Amino acid sequence: MNKQDVTFNFDNTYACELEGFYVPWKGEQAPAPSMVLFNDKLAQDLGLQTEKLKGDQGAEIFSGGIAPKGANPLAQAYAGHQFGGFSEQLGDGRALLLGEILDNDGHRVDLQLKGSGRTPFSRGGDGKAVLGPVLREYLMGEAMHALGVPTTRALAAVTTGEDVVRDGVKPGAVLARVASSHLRVGTFQFFAARKEWDKVRTLADYAIARHYPDLADANEEYLAFLSAVADRQASLVASWLHNGFVHGVMNTDNMTISGETIDYGPCAFVDTYDAKAVFSSIDHNGRYAFGNQPVIAQWNLARLAENLLPLIDGDDSENAIRLATNVINGFIGQYTEIWTKGMRAKIGLVSSENEDAALINDLFTAMDDQNVDYTLFFRRLADAAEGQDEELLALFNNSQEIKAWLPSWKDRLLRDPQAIAERARNMNTVNPIYIPRNHRVEEALQAAEAGDMAPFNALMNVLSDPFTKRDGLERYEGAAPDDFGPYQTFCGT
Ligand code: AMP
Ligand code: MG
């Protein structure tokens, strides 16, 4: 084993301030840790010692076997509603929080390992992760970041040298990820379910200080906190829908307090626009379907609201319920406003008129059941803004409805203060040309599992700049061919 001389700028508030909210723990020693991917750019932004970390020391640390100096490795407690059913105890069953790092600008991030072995929260699980899903989370998270969607980030992926049983034997792996924190709706649920209201308050105070410091002195601080989390979730889920992303497993333990996307398991991007799109093999009723995500976010926030009631008004529970209900009832309106604002930009508007919402709704009606590629549609719409409609129309099975929509859109553009070429350019800065197309993701993962990282690295490179069309990358633009078949995703990392 190498002598560890790498240092991190740790400052572990969770470990220090929230005793009783976790179990101090250690990662398992992997038999033969080996670095597969290291996110150099992110490591630099975090002020890490990249040269030391990209080699064997990094593999040792990120596989969990050795805790670096200053780390307080621990498994966090949380509960959660999974597909609507409550589990009083979930927790980090295969994850380990090493600690918090202050980056070059003083921003605080969690450094967490996923797949580093069993913990007291593992229940029946083995605490392990395997290479394919680790790489999938790496790729999806980094792609989302490049799209401008708030997300956890991937810092490194290592293989452990161990065989792990998952539908056959697979190479064991660990993902090192960073997040602005791993506080979840489910973290509150854990203590609220046990009626440990002091702890719920301590947690809320901690979350406010860490993510919403402006609220610390607000009137009705805890109500304002609920509102602020709802704001961030409204923006987050709107950005998912703008980009065609289906999270796939929006359980309350997979919803962050910070408003970042977390836990890329069975997620996928839609090719064709379909509000009912579901990819997860276990989402039989479409609870987490593409178009259902705003309603589910609201449902999850209602669970958070319930947990905060005694803090919102400890003396008058009716009043607490009334105040919290107002916030939750306002969510869909708030979401719709943010979504509409983003859709305006996607269809080339910088100005705003009341009738835009109807124009946008008509567009989605025209896209319904048309097998239209959601991503390509908006790129072709930029061409249409410059007068070229043919390729756009060719995306539709039957172009009758979209042909009726285009003139009303073009009328609207006449009242929007942008030059034609400028508008098309602006549209292409919010509408990606490259997304993680399901067939390309699978192709890259299959090659990686067979030992060839080249397709994965090529895809990562494409997705790192999703808005700029580049020559030679045509194969990454289009939807999966028909023979790719219906796409199914799975939960297990
Ligand atoms: P997830 O589906 O990733 O949101 O995880 C839900 C819960 O199952 C969390 O408490 C995880 O820690 C736990 N879990 C998932 N996979 C494993 C595993 N292989 N070993 C132990 N716990 C696991
Ligand atoms: Mg999870």
Side-chain angles (χ1 to χ4, degrees), residues 78 82 90-91 93-94 122-123 125-128 166 253-254:
Y78 55 85
Q82 301 180 304
L90 295 169
R94 55 169 161 178
S122 296
R123 297 172 291 158
D126 60 4
K128 303 282 162 66
R166 291 275 187 289
D253 53 302
N254 291 336

Side-chain angles (χ1 to χ4, degrees), residues 136 160 166 177 246 336 359 407 457:
R136 197 164 192 283
T160 57
R166 291 275 187 289
R177 70 178 181 191
V246 186
T336 305
L359 182 71
N457 291 332

Side-chain angles (χ1 to χ4, degrees), residues 240-241 243-250 266-281 283-294 296 368-369 371-372 374 438 486-489:
W240 291 356
L241 273 88
N243 287 291
F245 177 76
V246 186
H247 183 281
V249 60
M250 286 177 74
C267 63
F269 282 75
V270 296
D271 280 336
T272 57
Y273 168 71
D274 175 10
K276 295 196 182 65
V278 170
F279 298 99
S280 168
S281 61
D283 190 1
H284 305 297
N285 300 318
R287 180 179 171 90
Y288 300 139
F290 179 55
N292 220 27
Q293 296 180 111
I296 291 294
D368 238 356
D369 291 328
N371 228 22
V372 189
Y374 188 66
N438 301 322
Y487 187 51
Q488 224 185 20
T489 56

Side-chain angles (χ1 to χ4, degrees), residues 37 135-136 138-139 441 443-445 447-448 452-461:
L37 288 169
L135 293 180
R136 197 164 192 283
Y138 195 116
L139 183 134
V441 172
E443 172 187 88
L445 293 180
D452 175 12
M453 289 299 290
F456 184 93
N457 291 332
L459 181 57
M460 284 288 295
N461 185 39

Side-chain angles (χ1 to χ4, degrees), residues 25 120 158 187 271 293 306-307 313 337 362 372 377 379 455:
W25 202 248
V158 298
T187 321
D271 280 336
Q293 296 180 111
E306 286 162 2
N307 295 169
D313 190 335
E337 202 172 296
D362 292 347
V372 189
F377 172 81
R379 294 295 286 209

